[in-house]
Amino acid sequence: MASRAAGQPLRHFLKMTDFTPAQLGTVINAAIEYKTAPRRPQSEILRGKTMGMIFEKPSLRTHVSFETVMSHLGGTAIYLGPQQIGSLDGSREPVKDISNVLTRMCDIVVARVFKQETVFQLAEHAQCPVINALCDMEHPCQIVADLTTITEHKGNLNGLKVAFIGDGCNNVTHSLSIGCAMMGMHFSVASPTAAFMDNGVLETATQIAAETGGSVKQVVDPMEAADGADIVYTDTFVSMGDESRKEELLKIFDGYQVNEAIMKAAKTDALFMHDMPAYRGIEVSEGVIDGKQSIIYDQAENRLHGQKAVVLHLLGKLPTTTTAPDFQNPPIGLGQTGPVLGNN
């Protein structure tokens, strides 16, 4: 059974609000620090620990990044795809049974699933931390990587404007709006009315922004959203599982491609982001995604570093300092218990 030190709360990362703004900032800073830290000393931190990875959906970046996280930290990752675990719709066995069994054997569980309800059920019955690696409502790990990338390129996140162009009602937009609000950023999303953000998510993001000095704005006009933006972001118009609606969706999002005209509406030093996979000529022009303003590969790489920081935070092994950890004499390492950074 996965063990925790006495008094250490069980923490999950199922949605952006499972972190406080302070915790999110600590995780972002740690991701940047671990990215440049010596590799070898890191390999002792999670020696003997095991990650169970549940994947209902295929993946490139999520799968490789989490396996690499555990490799870097000295642990082991076990991939459980549909062939190994079946569907999590209860047809093979109840989700609570999967959770109880898996979390007695593993120290942390990652789940990339179709429905948010599934990852919530996994966490409800879990005896170790559970990470939402994607569901229909949120994609929190992606946003940790995104905010890490923006920090690397722009410095202080507070006050920056992020414009999202395209599907407002998808998991990336939802988590990004909340993440930006938590960091005191200004988030503007341009979507057709048929693809506006979920009302509950919009309300949550707006409330958080009011507390942090940020803002959240939903509009129809892409040029309005992009005006003065520091970051222009888009995602595929046809999400995984929506392939049968491709023609319908392409009609809905006609006019929402991020192209050179959109980028000109943003600041002259604006950067382009996409969580990938990307479809050139559809949601983004080839000139933009492959141009000098694009930072999509930095963004993809930071899935690894962001998730490393998330895993260490949830397992209580993330130093509280925001300066680079001393990896020659780590403050938290094998056999030591990390500080509790607060309940989520």
Side-chain angles (χ1 to χ4, degrees), residues 167 192 194-195 236-254 256 282:
D167 188 358
T236 178
F237 294 157
V238 185
S239 298
M240 194 178 302
D242 288 336
E243 291 83 1
S244 63
R245 299 180 58 213
K246 181 177 179 178
E247 290 188 13
E248 173 194 354
L249 291 170
L250 292 183
K251 289 180 181 178
I252 290 174
F253 293 111
D254 184 33
Y256 284 86
I282 300 180

Side-chain angles (χ1 to χ4, degrees), residues 59-320:
S59 168
L60 169 62
R61 283 152 292 276
T62 303
H63 184 173
V64 174
S65 57
F66 271 115
E67 281 211 20
T68 305
V69 163
M70 293 305 287
S71 176
H72 283 188
L73 297 176
T76 302
I78 301 174
Y79 175 80
L80 300 166
Q83 291 184 328
Q84 289 80 26
I85 204 168
S87 173
L88 272 71
D89 62 2
S91 58
R92 186 172 183 268
E93 58 181 316
V95 172
K96 68 176 182 179
D97 289 355
I98 294 172
S99 179
N100 273 294
V101 171
L102 191 59
T103 62
R104 283 171 177 256
M105 299 180 183
C106 297
D107 300 280
I108 192 163
V109 168
V110 168
R112 180 179 171 92
V113 298
F114 285 103
K115 296 181 178 180
Q116 187 180 52
E117 178 186 357
T118 302
V119 77
F120 283 172
Q121 287 181 337
L122 286 168
E124 180 184 356
H125 300 283
Q127 300 185 43
C128 73
V130 175
I131 296 175
N132 178 3
L134 178 144
C135 70
D136 56 342
M137 284 296 292
E138 285 212 41
H139 197 352
C141 290
Q142 177 66 54
I143 274 52
V144 171
D146 294 343
L147 295 176
T148 298
T149 307
I150 297 171
T151 301
E152 285 183 318
H153 284 269
K154 294 290 187 179
N156 187 11
L157 296 173
N158 187 271
L160 294 179
K161 179 180 178 179
V162 174
F164 187 96
I165 312 297
D167 188 358
C169 194
N170 80 0
N171 47 22
V172 170
T173 319
H174 290 160
S175 291
L176 186 61
S177 68
I178 295 172
C180 287
M182 292 170 72
M183 292 294 99
M185 303 168 76
H186 303 290
F187 181 78
S188 183
V189 53
S191 305
T193 54
F196 270 8
M197 290 175 59
D198 174 84
N199 286 333
V201 172
L202 178 60
E203 182 178 349
T204 296
T206 301
Q207 289 175 348
I208 293 171
E211 298 172 358
T212 63
S215 64
V216 178
K217 186 177 183 181
Q218 184 166 253
V219 300
V220 173
D221 183 4
M223 298 297 283
E224 180 182 352
D227 183 41
D230 298 282
I231 302 292
V232 179
Y233 197 128
T234 193
D235 192 6
T236 178
F237 294 157
V238 185
S239 298
M240 194 178 302
D242 288 336
E243 291 83 1
S244 63
R245 299 180 58 213
K246 181 177 179 178
E247 290 188 13
E248 173 194 354
L249 291 170
L250 292 183
K251 289 180 181 178
I252 290 174
F253 293 111
D254 184 33
Y256 284 86
Q257 182 188 88
V258 174
N259 51 32
E260 288 75 3
I262 291 289
M263 295 303 295
K264 285 181 180 178
K267 289 183 179 177
T268 55
D269 63 347
L271 300 172
F272 171 76
M273 300 180 73
H274 193 305
D275 55 292
M276 304 174 79
Y279 301 93
R280 290 162 172 80
I282 300 180
E283 71 268 13
V284 59
S285 70
E286 188 171 345
V288 169
I289 195 170
D290 295 323
K292 63 182 181 180
Q293 292 172 284
S294 176
I295 54 172
I296 62 168
Y297 299 129
D298 292 345
Q299 183 183 1
E301 179 191 350
N302 282 334
R303 290 293 302 278
L304 164 63
H305 309 296
Q307 287 158 198
K308 183 181 292 185
V310 168
V311 168
L312 291 173
H313 169 71
L314 294 179
L315 292 177
K317 294 186 176 293
L318 188 65
T320 55

